[in-house]
Amino acid sequence: MSELAGLAFSGTWRRYQQQALDAFERDRAAGARRTHLVAPPGSGKTLLGVELVRRLGHRALVLAPNSAVQGGWLRAVRQFGAPGLAAPDPGAPIAVLTYQALCRLDDPEVALGRAAQARWELDRAEATGAEIETVRAEAERFTGAAAERRREQLARITSSLKREIARGEHAGVGLAELLSAPARARVDRLRALGVRTVVLDECHHLASLWGYVVRAVLDELGDEMHVIGLTATPPGELGGEEAELYAALLGPVDFTVPTPAVVRDGHLAPYQELAWLTEPLAVERAWLAEHDQRFRELITALHDDAESELSFPRWVLGRARDRRRDGDEDAEVAWADFHRARPALAGACVRFLASGGLGLPPGAPGGERYRRPPDLDDWLVLLEDYVLGRLHSDPSEAAAARAQAISAALRDLGFQLTRRGLRRGRSEVDRLLTGSQAKALGLVEVLAAEAESRGEDLRALVLCDAELAESRPDDALTGVLDPAAGTARTALAAIGADGRTGPLRPLLVSGRGLRCAPGDAEALQAMLEREAVEHYRLGEWDAELDGVLVALRSSGAEWVPRVWVDLATRLLARGTTRVLVGTRALLGEGWDCPPVNVLVDLTIAATGVSVQQMRGRSLRLDPERPRKLASNWDVVCVAPDLARGAADYERFVRKHRHLHAPAEDGEIEAGPGHVHPDLSPFGPPPASHFAALNRELVDRAAARDAARERWRIGAPYRGVEVPTLVARRRPGAAAAPPDAGAAAPPSAPAISQRVPLAAGGAGAAVCVAGAAVTGALPLLAGVALAPAGMAWAAARLGRARARLPLVLPLDRAARAVADAYRELGELSGAAAARIELEPRASGWLRCTLPDATPEEAAKVAAALDELTGAADAAGRGRYLVGRPLPEPGTGAVALLGRVLARRPPFGERLHPVPADLGRRRERAEAFAGAWARWVGPGRLVYAERSDAGRRARAEAAAEDSGWETVLRAVWL
């Protein structure tokens, strides 16, 4: 009988848990030996893991990333009524170990390095016919370019070795070379005991060197293993060998439990995402401005150099004007093709030339998008092209010096210019913004506002990257940024020093122990002693001054991180302290304290994995407070007007890219717009708006009942993620015409003047006929009818001009797209019939198709984005479609004159036919028909094979659409 037969779950599985178990059973019935489940923290993921182990019925090894997660497994198994089955011991029926315990590494990078070097020596020996010893001795003498080439080759071999290990091929790297002797002994014991189930908890950690070692361990344990991967979020941003490794270990995700579903079902606490925006302090801003000035001086110097052989303007002008195909100097690339192949470079070239008054190259359009000055992205594209294409190929010292000066200026901004192009890294600019002392002040403001609103109920967690600052000799920020800025100690000191937050008795928890403000030491130590007496055997307590803080500790042998984290958690739950300040490594994953209702994220982590884990700390239900509403705050430091001054804001955007939360209109969406509609993924708002935004978000934080209502807990849901378009008119864009929101198509005769002109022509004919027969009555009728027809036509043209918008109407464009897909049979009639434009704050509109499937909604949203906002859609499109465009100041009589001269009365604006709808002629014609019904008559232009078509496409790409658009994923 199985040792696990005594396990039994006494509760009732939630709906999504049962669905996950059903997915497991389907896979097992199909013979699968990999189970990969994704579920948010607090959703019962560990209980699911125990149930899967029970169903498989074999001895199991559970690997967890830290002691907190390890303890959660021990507690979960006790809930199945068999407390003795799980233990942190390889001999237990359910052995719960940490990754570090099993995969304790001697030094795998050294082992991989030795294997890569051995393979390089063997390959070279075979290629040259030399002995291995000779090759090794020769390599030791390599210098300069030869040594650099060898380093590159070794790096490629190392990557290849990792991929081989990921596929289960040990690649010459034996298990003995990766594991320490105690770890190897544990593996041998587990194999001897017959372990056949391996659970990899928080398996996103395996997208690292741990994964290579676990892969090798699984091979050692045997082929009969059933591997279960559990995580809160899969590492979807992986690439290369990391993605290959992760896929080899776990395979595709079998079932995903979305966080919003667990909240809507009432099993996680509802939450709101908030941010506090701040500018750097004066001394920090002065340092940033100096670096900004250096960059601008470099740009000015490059502008002024117009005569030398290394002239930057001459290079840009040549790139824009002399667009030649490689190896064929007589074949000039058309501007439209150049723009399509290198849109960023083409746009940057034109903006640079226009800003310097250098004249545009033949064929380059001059639309609105090209009339603005170059921005930082333009300069980066131009400088990269100039250094790689011009300076690196020039052997002169002057070229080398100029390349070095440009590289230094870019390095100041956090960009490394390598032989392969620009690579974004972390610079002093980034470090100043992420560690700015203004962030500590923002943290205090956030906690003060939450304390005022929540009172004694406040339980806050502040997460930092580290407790102490790194040692940085000869630091460029010396005298500007405190070396300890951004650390947990600085955060605690700031909270304790402010009269509004000091009474919260903040307590710092790190791998080094517990620390507090001197004035709080006595009260906190007394409560620690009281809690410890009930739960632990500890020695004498001590409170010792450590800098400006006091270290609280016990002399007992049990004084280890697991114990002091537990004690600090108990103090927070009781309210002895209302703020814990901790490091991401210790409290950002696996740590649980249900009363936590405020999270302040001061870390630089921006990956989906890290963000989901940290957010999970505040989402546990609190039995003592059934109406708990969690507030998750980011503190963001921005200098929008300075080069790279938005680096911390860009990190904030990346944090929220895959994080779902209710927006102010109740839609649960991913992206920074759920914090505030004015927070765009493309850049921060002006600094002058920060104060008002912060006030709004503080007010929103206090309105917890409204935030809870936005979640609509208990309401039914589809459980799907649907792309939607959010748009607003750019500042200065023309207002919509009076009928822009009409639900019926515009009347075609509003533009066509055939009827009134026919009446006028008939009148003229009557006049001629009347004169011929000398009849007075026909002559009088003709005289009256001819000018009446002309006046009628002129009046109609005037009314049509008033109704024609300068900016494409969003609702009509959406209906044209939906109608086209409906006619093509790719959108249901019900979905096409119901398009909603819902107003949001600050002039934004959300365009949704409530009855569409996710696939249908994705098609329409992407197409509408191309029509109204995607910057280079027109430069890529195969087809364009025209739209009548009014010309302000042109009167009705002038318009009539054009008609009588057989010319179009109105101008024309060309828009790209969305790529999916322009794949074939018949699809483009279907769209053109729907466009004519909803937007107005316009010609369909094929832009691929004629100079006129390519010119039309370039002109269309140059015009500003008048809309700002963002695609956002909404959970329904």
Side-chain angles (χ1 to χ4, degrees):
M1 186 175 181
S2 169
E3 297 171 284
L4 308 184
L7 292 175
F9 181 59
S10 59
T12 301
W13 294 113
R14 301 166 184 170
R15 181 176 64 161
Y16 57 82
Q17 290 173 324
Q18 187 60 56
Q19 290 172 338
L21 293 172
D22 292 344
F24 161 76
E25 292 294 354
R26 285 194 299 271
D27 284 352
R28 186 162 65 141
R33 292 187 176 275
R34 294 286 189 273
T35 301
H36 191 182
L37 301 180
V38 177
S43 61
K45 184 168 70 267
T46 306
L47 292 175
L48 276 175
V50 178
E51 176 66 12
L52 297 184
V53 169
R54 185 194 71 78
R55 294 188 181 199
L56 289 169
H58 303 294
R59 274 184 168 261
L61 166 65
V62 177
L63 293 177
N66 54 43
S67 58
V69 179
Q70 183 184 35
W73 270 87
L74 302 180
R75 291 190 297 272
V77 174
R78 286 198 289 271
Q79 291 186 47
F80 278 68
L85 288 181
D89 181 347
I94 301 177
V96 185
L97 307 178
T98 62
Y99 287 108
Q100 298 95 321
L102 182 65
C103 306
R104 189 167 294 160
L105 313 179
D106 284 332
D107 193 339
E109 288 293 355
V110 171
L112 290 172
R114 286 197 300 265
Q117 182 171 317
R119 184 173 291 187
W120 181 87
E121 291 169 353
L122 179 62
D123 291 346
R124 185 169 177 82
E126 291 177 351
T128 62
E131 297 293 329
I132 294 287
E133 292 76 10
T134 303
V135 170
R136 187 176 300 127
E138 180 187 23
E140 291 175 356
R141 296 192 296 272
F142 281 177
T143 59
E148 178 63 25
R149 281 194 297 273
R150 180 171 176 270
R151 280 193 292 271
E152 291 178 356
Q153 292 163 359
L154 287 172
R156 286 196 294 270
I157 293 172
T158 301
S159 293
S160 178
L161 288 172
K162 289 180 177 180
R163 286 192 294 271
E164 291 171 15
I165 293 173
R167 293 191 295 266
E169 307 161 7
H170 284 191
V173 182
L175 188 61
E177 294 181 79
L178 293 177
L179 300 184
S180 64
R184 288 198 302 275
R186 292 189 184 98
V187 172
D188 292 341
R189 188 179 179 194
L190 290 165
R191 183 175 60 245
L193 288 170
V195 167
R196 290 179 58 188
T197 301
V198 176
V199 181
L200 305 174
D201 200 3
E202 305 299 354
C203 56
H204 53 272
H205 286 286
L206 300 178
S208 65
L209 194 57
W210 270 356
Y212 299 111
V213 183
V214 168
R215 185 69 177 88
V217 169
L218 290 176
D219 284 351
E220 289 294 313
L221 290 175
D223 296 333
E224 298 300 314
M225 291 297 111
H226 191 112
V227 179
I228 300 168
L230 304 175
T231 182
T233 175
E237 300 170 5
L238 294 180
E241 64 260 16
E242 289 182 336
E244 188 174 354
L245 165 67
Y246 195 80
L249 283 169
L250 298 165
V253 174
D254 296 297
F255 188 79
T256 298
V257 178
T259 300
V262 189
V263 176
R264 186 71 67 82
D265 284 345
H267 301 303
L268 280 180
Y271 59 92
Q272 56 183 335
E273 291 294 329
L274 304 160
W276 182 276
L277 301 182
T278 183
E279 292 187 88
L281 299 185
V283 64
E284 298 168 349
R285 182 177 173 82
W287 187 91
L288 289 169
E290 181 182 346
H291 281 66
D292 180 76
Q293 183 62 28
R294 288 182 196 170
F295 182 71
R296 295 184 190 279
E297 287 172 354
L298 169 69
I299 298 301
T300 301
L302 291 173
H303 265 88
D304 292 343
D305 175 26
E307 302 299 329
S308 74
E309 289 297 319
L310 297 176
S311 168
F312 177 62
R314 180 182 298 181
W315 169 260
V316 176
L317 190 60
R319 290 288 278 155
R321 285 184 173 171
D322 302 327
R323 303 179 301 277
R324 305 291 178 183
R325 297 186 188 277
D326 294 340
D328 187 356
E329 289 299 316
D330 294 329
E332 181 180 284
V333 176
W335 176 267
D337 294 336
F338 176 57
H339 178 272
R340 182 168 54 177
R342 304 280 305 272
L345 178 60
C349 282
V350 174
R351 283 187 283 273
F352 170 80
L353 297 175
S355 69
L358 298 176
L360 299 184
E368 294 177 51
R369 288 182 52 233
Y370 293 152
R371 289 198 288 269
R372 62 173 173 80
D375 58 17
L376 178 61
D377 289 336
D378 290 329
W379 290 120
L380 293 175
V381 169
L382 292 171
L383 291 173
E384 177 186 53
D385 186 71
Y386 173 57
V387 172
L388 298 182
R390 178 66 182 90
L391 300 183
H392 278 183
S393 62
D394 192 309
S396 69
E397 293 184 5
R402 182 167 291 191
Q404 186 175 6
I406 293 173
S407 295
L410 294 176
R411 193 162 48 248
D412 281 347
L413 300 178
F415 297 94
Q416 298 292 329
L417 191 49
T418 69
R419 290 190 305 279
R420 293 186 176 89
L422 276 177
R423 181 170 56 86
R424 180 164 294 190
R426 194 158 182 249
S427 68
E428 281 82 5
V429 171
D430 294 325
R431 190 158 64 88
L432 185 146
L433 291 168
T434 56
S436 169
Q437 294 176 77
K439 289 188 127 182
L441 300 179
L443 164 66
V444 170
E445 295 300 325
V446 166
L447 290 178
E450 289 284 4
E452 181 180 357
S453 170
R454 294 179 185 266
E456 293 297 321
D457 281 344
L458 174 65
R459 301 292 185 272
L461 172 66
V462 179
L463 286 177
C464 303
D465 289 299
E467 177 191 356
L468 298 171
E470 299 178 28
S471 176
R472 295 177 181 271
D474 302 322
D475 196 342
L477 291 171
T478 299
V480 177
L481 188 68
D482 187 327
T487 64
R489 291 197 181 197
T490 299
L492 184 133
I495 299 167
D498 191 278
R500 298 167 297 169
T501 54
L504 301 177
R505 287 192 187 133
L507 179 63
L508 188 154
V509 187
S510 75
R512 295 165 57 89
L514 304 178
R515 282 165 178 77
C516 66
D520 297 331
E522 183 177 350
L524 289 173
Q525 181 175 322
M527 288 303 297
L528 285 169
E529 291 182 17
R530 175 180 168 183
E531 290 291 340
V533 166
E534 295 182 22
H535 303 283
Y536 300 102
R537 296 180 187 177
L538 297 177
E540 295 296 322
W541 284 84
D542 179 35
E544 181 181 349
L545 192 64
D546 182 9
V548 298
L549 302 179
V550 172
L552 305 173
R553 53 177 172 255
S554 167
S555 61
E558 286 191 30
W559 188 244
V560 294
R562 175 177 55 82
V563 172
W564 68 64
V565 168
D566 179 56
L567 291 176
T569 304
R570 292 174 183 275
L571 262 60
L572 181 67
R574 285 183 177 274
T576 306
T577 173
R578 285 187 277 158
V579 179
L580 287 189
V581 180
T583 58
R584 175 163 58 99
L586 195 64
L587 301 186
E589 179 178 350
W591 174 78
D592 293 325
C593 181
V596 169
N597 50 28
V598 171
L599 169 72
V600 185
D601 182 0
L602 296 181
T603 72
I604 64 171
T607 64
V609 170
S610 298
V611 173
Q612 292 281 5
Q613 288 293 339
M614 288 188 288
R615 261 38 180 194
R617 300 316 102 210
S618 64
L619 303 189
R620 301 279 182 177
L621 293 175
D622 183 2
E624 302 297 322
R625 298 169 182 82
R627 290 188 61 78
K628 170 183 170 179
L629 187 284
S631 293
N632 299 325
W633 288 86
D634 289 291
V635 181
V636 189
C637 186
V638 193
D641 57 320
L642 300 179
R644 288 293 290 150
D648 197 37
Y649 184 84
E650 292 168 5
R651 187 175 293 104
F652 162 74
V653 170
R654 292 197 299 275
K655 284 184 177 183
H656 288 264
R657 185 174 297 154
H658 302 296
L659 186 66
H660 286 86
E664 90 294 339
D665 63 352
E667 294 287 359
I668 300 174
E669 70 176 22
H674 58 219
V675 176
H676 193 282
D678 280 353
L679 298 182
S680 163
F682 305 120
S688 59
H689 293 187
F690 287 4
L693 282 170
N694 290 339
R695 283 194 299 272
E696 286 185 44
L697 290 167
V698 165
D699 291 343
R700 183 174 168 187
R704 293 188 296 279
D705 287 341
R708 188 180 179 86
E709 288 301 316
R710 283 193 286 271
W711 273 102
R712 293 182 289 126
I713 295 172
Y717 56 85
R718 293 169 59 190
V720 297
E721 192 174 283
V722 177
T724 64
L725 186 78
V726 180
R728 72 175 175 185
R729 293 184 182 276
R730 295 188 190 278
D739 65 338
S747 175
I751 293 176
S752 171
Q753 306 305 318
R754 292 177 183 173
V755 173
L757 289 180
V766 169
C767 286
V768 172
V773 301
T774 65
L777 188 59
L779 182 60
L780 288 174
V783 168
L785 190 57
M790 298 300 173
W792 184 16
R796 284 164 56 87
L797 286 168
R799 287 195 298 272
R801 181 195 58 198
R803 292 182 60 198
L804 289 176
L806 286 170
V807 176
L808 178 65
L810 183 65
D811 61 336
R812 294 187 179 279
R815 290 186 171 94
V817 169
D819 258 14
Y821 277 120
R822 180 184 55 78
E823 290 180 16
L824 291 169
E826 298 173 19
L827 183 68
S828 69
R834 190 178 169 206
I835 299 176
E836 296 182 354
L837 263 68
E838 301 168 347
R840 298 184 61 189
S842 304
W844 289 95
L845 294 169
R846 188 194 299 279
C847 182
T848 59
L849 279 75
D851 299 322
T853 66
E855 295 75 20
E856 290 173 333
K859 279 177 176 284
V860 174
L864 191 56
D865 187 41
E866 290 184 45
L867 266 175
T868 56
D872 295 306
R876 299 191 302 266
R878 300 183 71 221
Y879 288 92
L880 306 169
V881 64
R883 173 172 66 87
L885 197 66
E887 298 177 22
T890 304
V893 175
L895 295 175
L896 180 60
R898 293 179 183 179
V899 173
L900 293 174
R902 298 195 174 186
R903 291 166 39 212
F906 302 109
E908 181 185 52
R909 169 70 195 276
L910 291 170
H911 295 269
V913 173
D916 183 54
L917 289 167
R919 286 187 283 118
R920 294 189 300 275
R921 178 82 188 184
E922 59 270 23
R923 295 176 68 83
E925 288 175 344
F927 174 73
W931 178 270
R933 288 192 299 275
W934 285 103
V935 179
R939 61 189 177 119
L940 185 66
V941 178
Y942 183 57
E944 286 288 327
R945 294 177 184 169
S946 69
D947 289 341
R950 285 191 286 266
R951 281 195 301 272
R953 180 166 59 194
E955 290 291 346
E959 294 297 335
D960 193 295
S961 69
W963 289 98
E964 297 176 68
T965 61
V966 183
L967 282 172
R968 290 198 170 129
V970 172
W971 184 86
L972 301 174

